[in-house]
Amino acid sequence: MQNLWYKNAIVYSLDVETFMDSDGDGVGDFPGLTQKLDYLAGLGITCLWLLPFYPSPNRDNGYDVMDYYGVDPRLGTLGDFVEFMHKARERGIRVIVDLVVNHTSIAHPWFQEARSDRNSKYRNYYVWSDNPPPADPKHIAFPDVEDSLWDYDDKAGAYYLHHFYKEQPDLNIANPAVREEICKIMGFWLELGVSGFRIDAAPFLIQGIGIPDAKPEDLEGFLIEMREFLVSRRADAILLAEANVDADQIGVYFGNGDKMQMLFSFLLNQHMFLALARQDAATLVEGLKILPDAHHTCQWLNFVRHHDELTLDRLQESEIQEIFQAFAPEENMQMWGRGVRRRLPPMLEGDRQRVELVYSLLLTLPGTPMLRYGEEIGMGDDLSLEGRGSVRTVMQWSSKANGGFSSAPADKLARPAIDRGEYGYQKLNVTSQQRDPNSILSWMERAIRTRKQYPEFGSGKWKIVATNEPSVFAHSSQQNGNTVIAIHNLSAQPRTITMKSAEDPHLLDVFSDRPYEQMDCHSNSIEISGYGYRWFQVN
Ligand code: NOJ
């Protein structure tokens, strides 16, 4: 019997820096996070994904690592990490951590040695050129800041490759010594109890763009090596790849069940936003249908938002514009012409019914759902902050100063708190929502609890159920003889639908946006409110 725990996990992503500050220095830390584990357990979370917490000059929110074996002193100590892991395990919460090995920080000792000594063994840990080719702009990840993939380093007397900021030199994945280092890093955190890794920038890691003589089969083969190493150290550990690629490339990452167990569902996410903008179920169906079949041990990780811009780059230009028009009409809400730098509730103008609709989709679409901190309370964004900073404000725990995140003066916070308007912590926070049975937090707890009772949604065999209403998306999922059906009305108008191929008319309501009349078991017409959702168990 295989342990496929990740197929029905409830994942929660957070940045230790912005979650809870225990010592009043303005920076979130591991002891603060540890204090909040009971909150997370109460919400129903079963797996945390921690953004990078390693020592870092913080040029890219910790995605520029200078020591893979430590904890950034701002966030605590390795001892604090181990205490946190112990307490998480006591609560049945697994932890996966970011593995950022496409690049290091420029401050990493490997790069420091590599640049100062041509004969150092670290020289070949990076990719150098005396005469680099001109960059294809589509390979530059941060086009507003960088205009090249290569930067000249005076000390090294050569150009080095970097797909992201120039402070993030790319590692040379074609070098076996680098691969060994990567496995060693995984081995270290596995010994400390993590259940797996999020592989940052996976396509950049294995595409080998800029690496001379790199062979695609060899680089892709490294994903198999990583997996073999991983499970040799911990059989139930997983690799979750950040691979925002076209459908025909997905097999490169899932392999034949021998590479990554999980992939972020970028394609479905982008189609979901397009479907919401158009209020059209067929667009969502299309998003599901383009996903290739994968080995039964593979799983999608579904999400609404994460810590970056909501990227729309797998869609056509006209489709991106449709989404911009609906949810991010001002230029300041957009990023790089291909993304949205807002959180969901402001995108939906605070329409609670519609917000619930989206999270109901998240919880029922085939795959494992992931929430990002603050989504459970409907946190907003701060568009006055630069770039992706708009969605990285601190967690709002209470109406106390800084939202109860920290007792430091507001100007000492690692990142600001939202302190005004309808999304300000004075009005929107965990404590007040916990007292309110009608809050979005209370709703989320209930929704998650129900979702856990129907694992068919996560790992069952799904089918689209045809309806007579173009705005109503319906699907069923079946596993071990149990069937569930979910219907979602993407439009504001109430509908009555007929499910054309309902296998069984005996449907038991298990979760919905409002109480509905008991269904007449001889009819297969179903009522649904505007932006409504209904989950059924088929009796
Ligand atoms: C993807 C991460 O999600 C993003 O935040 C980061 O800037 C890049 N990788 C570079 O590491």
Side-chain angles (χ1 to χ4, degrees):
M1 291 241 290
Q2 278 173 299
N3 182 356
L4 306 181
W5 62 270
Y6 50 92
K7 287 215 152 195
N8 272 297
I10 306 288
V11 182
Y12 188 93
S13 107
L14 66 90
D15 203 339
V16 177
E17 185 185 60
T18 50
F19 201 59
M20 181 66 202
D21 170 19
S22 71
D23 58 5
D25 65 354
V27 186
D29 45 42
F30 274 104
L33 169 57
T34 308
Q35 284 167 24
K36 294 299 183 188
L37 280 169
D38 284 318
Y39 164 76
L40 294 167
L43 179 57
I45 301 308
T46 63
C47 178
L48 294 177
W49 155 31
L50 301 186
L51 268 68
F53 51 79
Y54 317 105
S56 162
N58 242 337
R59 168 70 177 102
D60 184 14
N61 196 37
Y63 282 95
D64 45 332
V65 179
M66 58 188 278
D67 174 8
Y68 288 106
Y69 298 105
V71 169
D72 193 311
R74 295 158 65 243
L75 310 178
T77 63
L78 204 48
D80 294 331
F81 175 83
V82 170
E83 282 306 294
F84 152 73
M85 290 297 295
H86 169 72
K87 298 258 162 58
R89 195 175 62 239
E90 276 186 340
R91 285 157 182 81
I93 297 180
R94 292 175 182 264
V95 177
I96 60 178
V97 298
D98 237 294
L99 185 66
V100 192
V101 289
N102 171 68
H103 45 265
T104 67
S105 160
I106 208 155
H108 195 290
W110 296 342
F111 189 77
Q112 291 304 321
E113 288 222 21
R115 78 197 312 193
S116 28
D117 179 2
R118 263 178 196 269
N119 300 315
S120 151
K121 73 167 187 168
Y122 296 110
R123 185 77 171 192
N124 200 27
Y125 273 36
Y126 297 90
V127 187
W128 304 96
S129 170
D130 292 329
N131 193 9
D136 178 342
K138 76 169 191 290
H139 293 143
I140 300 178
F142 301 137
D144 58 339
V145 186
E146 304 295 345
D147 56 9
S148 167
L149 293 184
W150 298 90
D151 221 68
Y152 189 75
D153 187 62
D154 282 336
K155 218 162 175 188
Y159 291 85
Y160 63 90
L161 180 69
H162 63 89
H163 276 89
F164 295 92
Y165 293 121
K166 62 166 84 58
E167 293 84 356
Q168 294 167 298
D170 280 17
L171 281 166
N172 179 5
I173 192 72
N175 178 353
V178 169
R179 296 182 181 193
E180 235 174 78
E181 297 278 10
I182 294 174
C183 289
K184 205 157 129 189
I185 297 163
M186 292 201 289
F188 178 82
W189 295 103
L190 287 167
E191 286 299 315
L192 295 187
V194 306
S195 290
F197 301 91
R198 168 196 182 261
I199 311 297
D200 182 63
F204 297 90
L205 181 68
I206 60 155
Q207 274 166 4
I209 293 162
I211 303 183
D213 308 324
K215 293 192 198 63
E217 326 77 72
D218 170 50
L219 298 187
E220 287 169 18
F222 180 53
L223 299 180
I224 299 179
E225 285 172 36
M226 283 173 98
R227 168 72 173 271
E228 283 172 352
F229 176 83
L230 178 91
V231 297
S232 75
R233 292 291 170 92
R234 181 168 175 167
D236 65 348
I238 60 152
L239 297 174
L240 157 66
E242 184 209 17
N244 175 16
V245 293
D246 287 334
D248 62 352
Q249 288 302 302
I250 282 166
V252 170
Y253 301 88
F254 274 149
N256 194 15
D258 53 356
K259 291 179 172 172
M260 312 280 110
Q261 289 96 331
M262 289 190 107
L263 295 184
F264 285 91
S265 199
F266 281 100
L267 285 166
L268 185 58
N269 174 272
Q270 300 183 30
H271 280 84
M272 180 179 80
F273 276 100
L274 187 59
L276 292 167
R278 293 176 169 171
Q279 313 203 347
D280 172 40
T283 307
L284 193 49
V285 171
E286 196 188 315
L288 278 169
K289 289 203 168 153
I290 50 176
L291 302 180
D293 284 340
H295 190 266
H296 77 277
T297 56
C298 298
Q299 175 74 325
W300 292 105
L301 185 64
N302 292 327
F303 59 96
V304 174
R305 290 290 286 109
H306 50 65
H307 63 287
D308 291 327
E309 78 283 7
L310 164 66
T311 183
L312 303 170
D313 59 352
R314 300 289 134 198
L315 301 175
Q316 303 295 321
E317 181 54 36
S318 61
E319 298 171 332
I320 297 179
Q321 292 307 325
E322 282 180 70
I323 295 177
F324 280 170
Q325 215 172 1
F327 303 132
E330 291 165 30
E331 214 180 316
N332 187 33
M333 300 166 174
Q334 306 164 5
M335 234 181 132
W336 299 325
R338 58 162 203 239
V340 175
R341 53 183 217 107
R342 308 183 83 186
R343 280 201 186 239
L344 181 77
M347 286 169 73
L348 302 179
E349 288 160 358
D351 182 337
R352 167 71 184 268
Q353 176 82 11
R354 225 176 166 193
V355 169
E356 286 181 19
L357 172 80
V358 176
Y359 288 107
S360 170
L361 280 170
L362 173 76
L363 290 167
T364 53
L365 283 169
T368 296
M370 181 192 94
L371 285 176
R372 175 160 185 264
Y373 79 92
E375 287 194 306
E376 71 276 27
I377 54 171
M379 258 171 71
D381 48 52
D382 181 348
L383 293 175
S384 71
L385 300 172
E386 209 187 304
R388 297 170 288 174
S390 55
V391 295
R392 295 175 177 176
T393 56
V394 301
M395 180 65 180
Q396 298 176 192
W397 294 106
S398 72
S399 58
K400 293 206 298 209
N402 304 323
F405 160 74
S406 170
S407 58
D411 63 351
K412 293 277 178 296
L413 299 190
R415 299 214 177 240
I418 297 184
D419 64 357
R420 72 200 69 155
E422 56 190 308
Y423 295 102
Y425 63 75
Q426 296 86 343
K427 284 197 186 154
L428 192 152
N429 61 67
V430 170
T431 313
S432 66
Q433 293 199 18
Q434 280 185 327
R435 291 197 315 260
D436 175 2
N438 295 318
S439 66
I440 183 85
L441 178 59
S442 299
W443 179 90
M444 195 68 85
E445 285 172 3
R446 228 170 34 245
I448 291 175
R449 195 166 61 236
T450 313
R451 165 65 174 76
K452 285 170 146 177
Q453 292 172 48
Y454 300 98
E456 297 79 26
F457 281 125
S459 47
K461 195 159 175 36
W462 61 270
K463 265 203 316 222
I464 302 297
V465 180
T467 76
N468 56 328
E469 277 294 345
S471 64
V472 178
F473 170 73
H475 75 293
S476 68
S477 211
Q478 196 172 21
Q479 191 176 31
N480 302 332
N482 301 320
T483 304
V484 288
I485 294 182
I487 62 174
H488 291 86
N489 180 2
L490 309 186
S491 84
Q493 276 72 48
R495 306 281 189 212
T496 301
I497 62 154
T498 315
M499 290 205 289
K500 292 184 184 149
S501 63
E503 291 118 52
D504 189 321
H506 295 80
L507 299 182
L508 181 70
D509 268 287
V510 293
F511 193 71
S512 49
D513 59 289
R514 64 170 173 85
Y516 286 89
E517 295 241 327
Q518 180 69 37
M519 278 176 46
D520 168 0
C521 65
H522 298 297
S523 118
N524 58 357
S525 78
I526 303 176
E527 235 194 298
I528 185 162
S529 359
Y531 298 135
Y533 50 86
R534 297 180 73 173
W535 308 357
F536 301 102
Q537 186 183 32
V538 179
N539 269 338

